[in-house]
Amino acid sequence: MIHFKRLDHVLIPIPEGKKEDARTFYSDVLGLKEVPGQHPGGALWFSIADIELHLREEAGGTYSKRHPAFEITNLEEAKRELERRGIEITYSSEIDGRQRFFFHDPFGNRFELLQFVG
């Protein structure tokens, strides 16, 4: 049996040639701290909560509803901030005990932000 300890990182694709655009979005819009260094495949690494988010340029661009979901402390505040920056918020099915919404980065990657409630 495998005994998992914790999620370490999530890697998502960005289009080739968009590394600086990604750096700007993830640093300035989402407020993530970049992990400095020369990372495999020229990837960008950011700290997010207690894991890392890795971005790597890839050819293609057929993205699906796959997504990482991050628990946050103030969902309404995050929604207002993203909307203020022109980011579209979408919703999906309701789940008892949590509120959530989705957004896409400029490269089509889907993210879920959620907050557990009462």
Side-chain angles (χ1 to χ4, degrees), residues 7 19 41:
L7 179 64
K19 189 172 180 177

Side-chain angles (χ1 to χ4, degrees), residues 53-96:
L53 178 63
H54 298 178
L55 308 171
R56 188 169 174 177
E57 292 177 313
E58 293 182 5
T62 331
Y63 304 123
S64 69
K65 290 193 179 275
R66 292 177 297 214
H67 65 275
F70 295 98
E71 180 184 0
I72 62 173
T73 58
N74 191 326
L75 195 66
E76 283 303 313
E77 184 179 314
K79 178 184 169 191
R80 283 191 304 273
E81 178 61 19
L82 290 170
E83 288 178 331
R84 184 183 74 76
R85 293 179 172 268
I87 310 280
E88 180 182 0
I89 303 299
T90 61
Y91 297 90
S92 186
S93 57
E94 292 186 15
I95 300 175
D96 288 341

Side-chain angles (χ1 to χ4, degrees), residues 4-67:
F4 293 97
K5 187 174 177 181
R6 70 177 190 93
L7 179 64
D8 179 74
H9 72 272
V10 173
L11 184 140
I12 59 171
I14 58 173
E16 291 176 312
K18 295 295 185 177
K19 189 172 180 177
E20 289 309 312
D21 292 342
R23 178 176 276 128
T24 299
F25 179 80
Y26 285 91
S27 293
D28 296 348
V29 175
L30 297 186
L32 303 182
K33 182 178 180 198
E34 186 172 351
V35 177
Q38 297 297 316
H39 305 296
L44 294 172
W45 290 11
F46 292 91
S47 294
I48 183 168
D50 63 346
I51 67 167
E52 290 179 350
L53 178 63
H54 298 178
L55 308 171
R56 188 169 174 177
E57 292 177 313
E58 293 182 5
T62 331
Y63 304 123
S64 69
K65 290 193 179 275
R66 292 177 297 214
H67 65 275

